[in-house]
Amino acid sequence: MNSIQESRDIRKTAVLRTLIDDLLAEQKQLQTPVARFADIHDREPDLAEHYRNLIPLSAPGPGEQYAFEVSLDRCTSCKSCVAACHSLNGLDDDEAWRDIGSLVGGKEEPAWQQTVTTACHHCADPGCMTGCPVGAYEKDKDTGIVRHLDDQCIGCSYCLLKCPYEVPKYSKKRGIVRKCDMCHGRLAAGEAPACVQACPTGAIRIVKRKISEVVEEGLAGKGFLTGAPTPKVTKPSTRYVGRPVPSTAKPADQETLTLQHTHLPLVLMLTLTQAGLGLLIAAAFLKHTAVAVTGAGVFFTGMGASILHLGRPLGAWRFFLGLRTSWLSREILAFSMVAPLAMLIPALPWLTPYIPEKIAGPVHQFIGTLPPTLAVLSLIAVFTSVMIYVDTHRPTWRISITGTRFFGTLLVFAALGLAASAPSFLTLAIGGLAIVAKLIPESRFLRDNLDPDDPWSPDAHVARLMRLRKMAPFLNGRFTGALAALFALMISPWISIALMLVAELLERAMFFSTVYSPKMPGGTGGSCKH
């Protein structure tokens, strides 16, 4: 009788077992990625074969290069790759060559989320390499790895602006930039890079890719991670596989209002050189010594400030190495051609009396060509400054914005120099109109992006940054200073020049600190420098 009852109880228990019971039982047998990783190490002390499955067994052939392959399904955001990279490469405490971030699904799938590990993409057309003025980058012809040459670097940080993915990192300690080199020494010895070896789930691998395929996908804007900056600019080689990504995916921190580095030396350099050249042009045509001396002083103060932006300024003489591809090299050359004229024009009143009569005619003819020559070279120099930032492909540094601001500064101070050299109703009116014309595009930009409920866009993002409480003194000071300069024209053009110079410095500080900087999900969120 008892055996019959026990048999009934067993059958009843079997009938009552649910899916939840099965899942709970299975969960007891599951291991975390770290536990599985540890278990493999315990069972197979020699893991050489395991790691060789994560890298190619042969070097890239002709037309091929090494590339990272990231499996989104396997990335758990454990940051083992970040720690391993930091440890093996001996990075500074605040330095990281690999970052972890998150993507969210956006409108298509609001609840979708994915962690992403990212490092240098070893692009087919690396922006860091084409932008470097001193040739401190090279793309290995055999492996396709983009390497940074520390001994060549001058610490200008232009590569930080040129890279759409915020890969290069500035090292204050060394005064140079550094970046991921795919542990090329380990790869050459048949060993996996630090991040690949440390990942407990095998989410990161090294693969071989055809360069033509990378370029084609980049030009088509396909084959890269949805939600990341466009691959059209640099053609990144990293391949993300596994879990499908919604077409509306975006970085989780895309709308975070993070101010960028102000780059004070660049603020001073750009504003003062453009203002100084404007004053010099007016003084050269009207032969006004005081305005010429003031313009030269302002110009060379800006030139001196530019040196403060370099971590290793003594190496800047090698700028000619980048003339073929780098707008920064071209800017250095252009301003080097302007500088002698900026010294000569203010000195002419003191030099002219000492010209020998025998050569006075040709010399005076030469002096007559100086004003138009200075004007042309100044326009070229300012154009190179504009293109430095346009070439970064940051949407709010597009040519319509950057060109208007930079050339606007040149023209405003040329007009104010005209008013100071030959005060009259006409010249004062020209100066006032120049100030108003400079303010109109900036005020329209703020007006068009005023509504905080408007959909997110790069322009709206910048406008919101400009209205942050921290930026209020800059924004208010910029417009207040410019309007004060406008009214001061009725008192003295010199007061107007001083007020407008302060206002332009505030505008240029906002140009850098409120720029929208596209980047990979997560990351540092700012171009950190000096």
Side-chain angles (χ1 to χ4, degrees), residues 56 135 168 286 317 344 408 445 496:
L286 297 179
W317 63 271
L344 179 59
F445 179 87
S496 183

Side-chain angles (χ1 to χ4, degrees), residues 107-400:
K107 293 181 180 179
E108 186 177 309
E109 295 187 40
W112 187 92
Q113 184 172 339
Q114 175 63 53
T115 57
V116 179
T117 176
T118 178
C120 179
H121 301 299
H122 299 279
C123 305
D125 183 20
C128 56
M129 186 174 74
T130 58
C132 182
V134 292
Y137 286 90
E138 67 174 11
K139 187 171 176 67
D140 190 278
K141 58 183 177 61
D142 296 322
T143 63
I145 295 173
V146 179
R147 296 174 57 192
H148 180 262
L149 308 177
D150 291 0
D151 58 337
Q152 294 285 98
C153 183
I154 60 173
C156 69
S157 293
Y158 186 44
C159 54
L160 272 70
L161 303 180
K162 280 280 289 179
C163 177
Y165 314 108
E166 286 198 341
V167 167
K169 303 295 167 65
Y170 183 79
S171 172
K172 287 184 180 181
K173 182 179 177 181
R174 297 165 182 81
I176 60 171
V177 166
R178 303 199 297 171
K179 64 174 281 294
C180 157
D181 61 1
M182 204 182 275
C183 294
H184 66 280
R186 293 175 64 87
L187 277 174
E191 297 184 26
C195 56
V196 174
Q197 184 166 328
C199 182
T201 61
I204 311 171
R205 299 176 63 224
I206 302 297
V207 296
K208 293 186 291 186
R209 295 196 65 185
K210 291 184 178 179
I211 298 175
S212 59
E213 176 186 89
V214 173
V215 172
E216 288 172 8
E217 290 182 355
L219 291 173
K222 300 177 181 178
F224 196 50
L225 182 67
T226 303
T230 176
K232 292 182 179 181
V233 179
T234 63
K235 292 88 179 175
S237 67
T238 301
R239 182 165 57 196
Y240 288 90
V241 298
R243 187 183 185 190
V245 181
S247 61
T248 57
K250 62 180 183 180
D253 58 348
Q254 177 179 267
E255 298 184 27
T256 303
L257 296 178
T258 303
L259 293 172
Q260 302 295 309
H261 197 281
T262 306
H263 296 290
L264 181 58
L266 293 183
V267 170
L268 294 172
M269 178 263 174
L270 291 169
T271 307
L272 298 182
T273 54
Q274 291 158 17
L277 288 176
L279 294 173
L280 278 166
I281 290 170
F285 279 101
L286 297 179
K287 297 179 175 58
H288 195 283
T289 304
V291 174
V293 171
T294 302
V298 172
F299 173 79
F300 284 108
T301 300
M303 292 290 284
S306 67
I307 298 174
L308 301 177
H309 187 68
L310 303 179
R312 291 180 177 175
L314 295 180
W317 63 271
R318 289 183 279 108
F319 74 90
F320 61 87
L321 295 173
L323 284 173
R324 190 173 61 86
T325 60
S326 174
W327 280 104
L328 183 53
S329 288
R330 295 164 188 168
E331 182 194 47
I332 296 172
L333 177 62
F335 277 97
S336 298
M337 295 172 66
V338 170
L341 294 181
M343 288 188 289
L344 179 59
I345 288 174
L348 285 176
W350 290 277
L351 297 177
T352 305
Y354 298 98
I355 299 174
E357 292 184 7
K358 293 181 180 180
I359 60 171
V363 169
H364 284 292
Q365 287 182 352
F366 169 74
I367 291 174
T369 65
L370 292 181
T373 302
L374 175 66
V376 171
L377 289 178
S378 297
L379 290 172
I380 293 173
V382 174
F383 177 73
T384 60
S385 294
V386 170
M387 290 308 300
I388 282 176
Y389 300 96
V390 172
D391 200 39
T392 65
H393 298 278
R394 297 190 178 194
T396 51
W397 279 352
R398 56 188 179 269
I399 195 165
S400 59

